[in-house]
Amino acid sequence: MRDMLLIALFAFLGAAGAGVLGAGALWLLRRRSLTASVSVVAAVAVTAMFAGTLAVAQAMFLSSHDLSVVTTVVAMAAVVSLATALLLGRWVVARSRELARAARDFGDGGDFSAPEGPVTAELADLSRELAATSAKLAESRDRERALESSRRELVAWISHDLRTPLAGLRAMSEALEDGVAADPDRYLRQIRTEVERLNDMVGDLFELSRIHAGTLTLSPSRMSLYDLIGDALAGADPLAREHGVRLVGDRIVAVPVEVDGREMSRVLGNLLVNAIRRTPADGTVAVAAERSADGVVLSVTDGCGGIPEEDLPRVFDTGWRGTHARTPPAGAGLGLAIVRGIVEAHQGRAAVRNVSGGCRFEVTLPMAEG
């Protein structure tokens, strides 16, 4: 037993010396290629075995012949180990470089395509993560392009919509100033109408900027949908009478919701104004509130004749106003974008779909707890 302990001790001391030298070599080569590190590990393993064997041989006074035999065996093992380490290192480095080139492609705006051929489990995991990241970046780029296109359209439409009332205000003010207005009171009423229109547009822009900046502050309170919809219908009734449109508010479930009353009134008001302006005279705009698996669904159904299927995904985009036939005489296509922003701030969602004779806007909100 004592001889075995001595052999183990001498072998450990010899191997430990090789291990310390190997650790130092790995630290010096820590920024070099993986091939160098793998080769050092293989060399340390063989050197540790050789150093331990040599230490035991010296302690036990082995013959020179036996020592040369052991040395030859260890040398052959070293050659095979280093060759294997070099092949492994070059293979891993080659796969890593292919992965780096693929990652560089999607970093430059392309899509990530995983290199073909077998790879290690770690490189396969990295490849999957890069593929997922590439997909997210592609979605982000598409969303950014859509937002940029929406901003350009908004600027163009806002510029046009502001120019028209400003030109009218300038002409009417000059006519009043020169004393050539045949009916000054009518001019003043028209000026007030245009100013209110401009004020509404500026208010919509301010609301939309708060939504996009994430600074829309909600003050939710518990209220009944019945009361909320009743107030919205009362506010939209004068406009409906002016356009000869019937407002119908049936199938309203009196369930409680936790919402900001002011902001949600704006949502319903925008939807009702939008529906009334697009419904022909003698048409009907119906408002309903029903329970659903996701909470409660508020819906406004108009008689506009429907929206082209290719336009449905863009209805809630900033600045979208559809075809010229669906463009109201006022507004800059901000109302529905504001609707979506406010609804999403309430953890809900807004949607639209075509129905017989028109379209149906739906707002899904979570029901109040308790």
Side-chain angles (χ1 to χ4, degrees), residues 321-334:
R321 294 189 294 187
T323 62
H324 178 72
R326 290 183 52 84
T327 302
L334 306 182

Side-chain angles (χ1 to χ4, degrees), residues 47-253:
T47 304
M49 181 177 63
F50 178 72
T53 303
L54 187 61
V56 171
Q58 292 295 333
M60 297 182 66
F61 304 104
L62 293 180
S63 66
S64 57
H65 176 268
D66 293 341
L67 184 60
S68 63
V69 170
V70 172
T71 303
T72 303
V73 172
V74 172
M76 294 301 100
V79 171
V80 174
S81 298
L82 288 174
T84 305
L86 287 172
L87 289 175
L88 174 62
R90 291 175 64 85
W91 178 75
V92 173
V93 168
R95 292 293 178 267
S96 299
R97 288 175 178 171
E98 292 176 0
L99 196 59
R101 283 194 295 269
R104 191 180 305 116
D105 289 339
F106 90 80
D108 293 335
D111 293 330
F112 176 79
S113 298
E116 297 182 358
V119 294
T120 64
E122 293 77 10
L123 290 179
D125 289 340
L126 179 59
S127 180
R128 284 191 290 271
E129 289 297 327
L130 288 173
T133 302
S134 175
K136 292 178 181 178
L137 285 176
E139 293 177 2
S140 179
R141 285 193 294 266
D142 292 341
R143 186 165 55 251
E144 182 63 26
R145 282 194 290 266
L147 288 174
E148 183 61 28
S149 175
S150 177
R151 282 192 290 267
R152 286 196 297 268
E153 292 177 355
L154 175 61
V155 169
W157 284 332
I158 285 291
S159 300
H160 176 270
D161 287 343
L162 287 176
R163 187 180 297 114
T164 301
L166 287 175
L169 288 172
R170 180 177 181 179
M172 288 184 287
S173 62
E174 289 177 350
L176 289 172
E177 184 179 9
D178 296 339
V180 297
D183 187 355
D185 291 339
R186 185 176 66 84
Y187 274 58
L188 291 173
R189 288 193 298 270
Q190 185 63 29
I191 287 175
R192 178 169 182 171
T193 300
E194 296 295 339
V195 169
E196 290 177 350
R197 176 184 172 188
L198 289 173
N199 183 68
D200 291 341
M201 292 175 63
V202 171
D204 285 347
L205 283 172
F206 179 70
E207 183 78 0
L208 195 62
S209 69
R210 289 200 302 160
I211 292 172
H212 285 173
T215 58
L216 179 64
T217 303
L218 300 178
S219 300
S221 60
R222 190 184 182 91
M223 61 180 59
S224 171
L225 279 179
Y226 191 85
D227 296 335
L228 189 65
I229 294 175
D231 293 341
L233 289 174
D237 186 65
L239 181 65
R241 291 178 181 274
E242 179 184 344
H243 285 75
V245 174
R246 293 185 299 275
L247 287 180
V248 178
D250 56 1
R251 295 190 298 119
I252 299 176
V253 179

